[in-house]
Amino acid sequence: MYILRRAADNAFINMGYGDTTSRILNHLATAAQVPLNVVSLTGGVNYYLPNMDSNVFNARLYLIPSPLLLSGADLRNSLRREPDVEEIFRMIPLSSMSVVGIGCLNDRATIVKNGILNQNDFTFLKMQGAVGDVLSHFLDKDGNLISVSQEQRLMSTPLKELQKLENVIGVAGGPMKVDAILAALRGKYLDVLITDEDTAQALLERS
């Protein structure tokens, strides 16, 4: 409701990667009266496609034609220079709003469920102080980017670019995500947070 009320006709909306944002996209595309224009903020095409329950999908998709995590930094850099990929990254700053999820480091994390990272990767990230991720960039408790080898292979909008965007809407909730949400807020990656009441209360108590 928040997004649809603020989306003008023919608006372009940037969309992040993950289960939550995938569900939001499918709901928006079903509820919108006019077609939405949706631009992906990351690779990982499958999370931006209509799900099996979408009888109506009223959205035009502009997707980065790439996996989320490439096999090597050289391949990522080469793909990043491809004209089709460059075109999507040029569209991102021109969109009127961006919707991102916030991940935490547990077994139910999207990036673990889909096999992009494993539990050993998560253990290593925790040892380096990671508490969660935004657009698959891992953050410490203060919202600083944690430098890991995966970062060089990641097809995703850089966090510095995310900070420059206007109307970035973070969507996340639940007690397991409090640390990750705080990190995203402290890093100043969000302009708006949509969450549930209990999580909001926990954030206020911790901030």
Side-chain angles (χ1 to χ4, degrees), residues 43-96:
V45 173
N46 59 313
Y47 273 89
Y48 296 99
L49 299 178
N51 65 34
M52 298 299 291
D53 299 325
S54 294
N55 297 318
V56 177
F57 193 80
N58 205 12
R60 303 184 189 96
L61 301 178
Y62 300 87
L63 306 181
I64 297 170
S66 163
L68 177 65
L69 194 67
L70 281 300
S71 59
D74 289 343
L75 178 58
R76 192 288 300 266
N77 294 338
S78 295
L79 274 175
R80 181 65 178 79
R81 292 190 293 268
E82 284 292 314
D84 287 348
V85 176
E86 280 289 341
E87 181 179 351
I88 302 300
F89 276 101
R90 283 196 298 268
M91 294 174 71
I92 288 171
L94 304 177
S95 294
S96 59

Side-chain angles (χ1 to χ4, degrees), residues 14-202:
N14 296 326
M15 191 69 62
Y17 174 89
D19 280 337
T20 300
T21 48
S22 177
R23 292 171 188 270
I24 290 170
L25 171 55
N26 276 273
H27 179 76
L28 290 174
T30 301
Q33 298 300 309
V34 296
L36 296 171
N37 299 290
V38 176
V39 183
S40 66
L41 287 165
T42 73
V45 173
N46 59 313
Y47 273 89
Y48 296 99
L49 299 178
N51 65 34
M52 298 299 291
D53 299 325
S54 294
N55 297 318
V56 177
F57 193 80
N58 205 12
R60 303 184 189 96
L61 301 178
Y62 300 87
L63 306 181
I64 297 170
S66 163
L68 177 65
L69 194 67
L70 281 300
S71 59
D74 289 343
L75 178 58
R76 192 288 300 266
N77 294 338
S78 295
L79 274 175
R80 181 65 178 79
R81 292 190 293 268
E82 284 292 314
D84 287 348
V85 176
E86 280 289 341
E87 181 179 351
I88 302 300
F89 276 101
R90 283 196 298 268
M91 294 174 71
I92 288 171
L94 304 177
S95 294
S96 59
M97 68 179 74
S98 303
V99 182
V100 300
I102 301 166
C104 61
L105 301 184
N106 66 27
D107 294 341
R108 288 187 285 176
T110 302
I111 206 165
V112 169
K113 287 194 299 183
N114 61 22
I116 292 175
L117 296 181
N118 58 40
Q119 285 300 325
N120 288 338
D121 295 321
F122 262 28
T123 299
F124 182 68
L125 283 161
K126 290 176 183 177
M127 290 172 69
Q128 292 189 292
V131 297
D133 77 275
V134 174
L135 299 180
S136 300
H137 300 287
F138 288 91
L139 310 174
D140 67 15
K141 63 182 179 62
D142 297 316
N144 300 309
L145 176 66
I146 291 179
S147 179
V148 289
S149 60
Q150 292 94 336
E151 187 69 24
Q152 307 305 314
R153 301 188 286 122
L154 186 66
M155 186 65 76
S156 178
T157 302
L159 290 177
K160 288 184 179 180
E161 296 303 315
L162 184 66
Q163 287 175 321
K164 296 176 185 177
L165 300 178
E166 297 182 358
N167 302 319
V168 177
I169 302 164
V171 184
M176 293 181 296
K177 291 202 172 183
V178 171
D179 288 338
I181 296 170
L182 276 174
L185 293 170
R186 289 167 178 162
K188 303 187 186 304
Y189 304 117
L190 310 178
D191 298 304
V192 174
L193 173 65
I194 296 178
T195 190
D196 60 87
E197 183 177 355
D198 290 342
T199 303
Q201 185 62 45

